[in-house]
Amino acid sequence: MILLETKLKDCYVIESKLFNDERGCFYEVFNQIKFNKIIGADVNFVQDNESFSFKGVLRGLHFQKGNHAQAKLVRVSQGRVLDVVVDLRKSSRTFGEHLSIELNEENKKQLFIPKGFAHGFVVLSKSAVFSYKSDNYYNKESEGGIIFNDSELNINWQLPEDELIISKKDMVLPELKTCKI
Ligand SMILES: Cc1cn([C@H]2C[C@H](O)[C@@H](COP(=O)(O)OP(=O)(O)O[C@H]3O[C@H](C)C(=O)[C@H](O)[C@H]3O)O2)c(=O)[nH]c1=O
């Protein structure tokens, strides 16, 4: 596992060693000791999630508030997605900035998203399986979000808006400037 810094402090790309041979490929998706060593902290993941989505599905931008805030380690085990995170940490020099990165089954890149970030992704391939760990349990009452086409963030989701498939819940999320963090 190697850690690559991003433009957003504490948000890292993780690349794993791939063991390719005539049979195919093996890699350690997660190793607690190695992960904590490269992150420089004891991150205790308590929940594994997985979602399957068709092309154009956009899930997010979501976060959990207060004590229910979640750090996540996200990856794509099938297909291709554009993953987007937004720094919502008021004290951060990159508050309100976002990072977009393609995660896919080929590059097997993972993204560590610390607490205090909103997260979402859009599926670029025919379908995608999105798998991730979180260090805090799901808590519906503490869910927050930012609308995908927030005018200040101006995120390029890489697909035309009329091709996006978005849940009713996500279509009515607030803008960044009015969202309660
Ligand atoms: C997240 C979650 C959801 N659920 C239930 C609640 C709903 O009945 C159903 C679908 O939930 P939702 O539409 O919120 O799923 P996503 O839109 O994929 O939400 C996720 O999307 C973005 C990308 C994220 O980073 C978050 O982890 C998460 O908010 O699963 C659970 O039971 N446990 C959970 O941890």
Side-chain angles (χ1 to χ4, degrees):
M1 269 181 169
I2 56 168
L3 192 82
L4 304 170
E5 295 198 345
T6 70
K7 68 177 186 176
L8 301 179
K9 188 173 175 302
D10 310 323
C11 182
Y12 302 109
V13 172
I14 311 264
E15 293 189 345
S16 301
K17 182 168 174 48
L18 306 181
F19 296 92
N20 293 297
D21 64 25
E22 66 283 358
R23 298 167 298 169
C25 173
F26 172 89
Y27 76 109
E28 287 184 2
V29 174
F30 179 74
N31 177 310
Q32 183 77 64
I33 291 176
K34 291 178 184 174
F35 179 80
N36 285 353
K37 186 164 182 284
I38 58 173
I39 285 285
D42 283 345
V43 182
N44 177 37
F45 293 114
V46 295
Q47 188 172 316
D48 275 318
N49 294 334
E50 183 169 289
S51 61
F52 170 87
S53 308
F54 296 106
K55 181 168 184 176
V57 166
L58 191 159
R59 295 175 184 259
L61 296 152
H62 300 157
F63 59 90
Q64 291 194 171
K65 298 170 190 170
N67 294 336
H68 298 283
Q70 296 169 309
K72 295 169 190 164
L73 179 61
V74 305
R75 68 187 179 99
V76 169
S77 47
Q78 179 256 318
R80 292 171 52 224
V81 314
L82 183 75
D83 203 69
V84 177
V85 294
V86 182
D87 189 349
L88 299 178
R89 301 170 300 182
K90 293 265 194 220
S91 59
S92 168
R93 61 178 169 71
T94 52
F95 173 77
E97 288 190 31
H98 73 274
L99 168 75
S100 303
I101 178 173
E102 180 168 324
L103 302 175
N104 61 57
E105 63 187 74
E106 296 303 322
N107 66 28
K108 301 192 190 320
K109 285 182 183 174
Q110 300 184 64
L111 188 66
F112 176 71
I113 310 163
K115 296 177 194 286
F117 279 66
H119 173 243
F121 66 86
V122 65
V123 176
L124 302 174
S125 49
K126 191 161 163 286
S127 64
V129 175
F130 193 84
S131 307
Y132 57 108
K133 293 177 173 306
S134 61
D135 73 344
N136 216 343
Y137 295 105
Y138 174 62
N139 180 279
K140 186 173 183 56
E141 293 67 37
S142 70
E143 281 195 304
I146 300 167
I147 190 78
F148 74 101
N149 58 0
D150 179 89
S151 50
E152 274 179 65
L153 293 173
N154 194 24
I155 296 167
N156 176 4
W157 290 101
Q158 294 187 7
L159 292 179
E161 197 157 322
D162 63 5
E163 288 182 21
L164 298 177
I165 303 167
I166 301 173
S167 69
K168 287 190 180 66
K169 176 188 84 168
D170 287 355
M171 281 307 287
V172 294
L173 292 173
E175 294 259 337
L176 173 61
K177 57 179 176 284
T178 57
C179 86
K180 298 266 179 300
I181 298 166

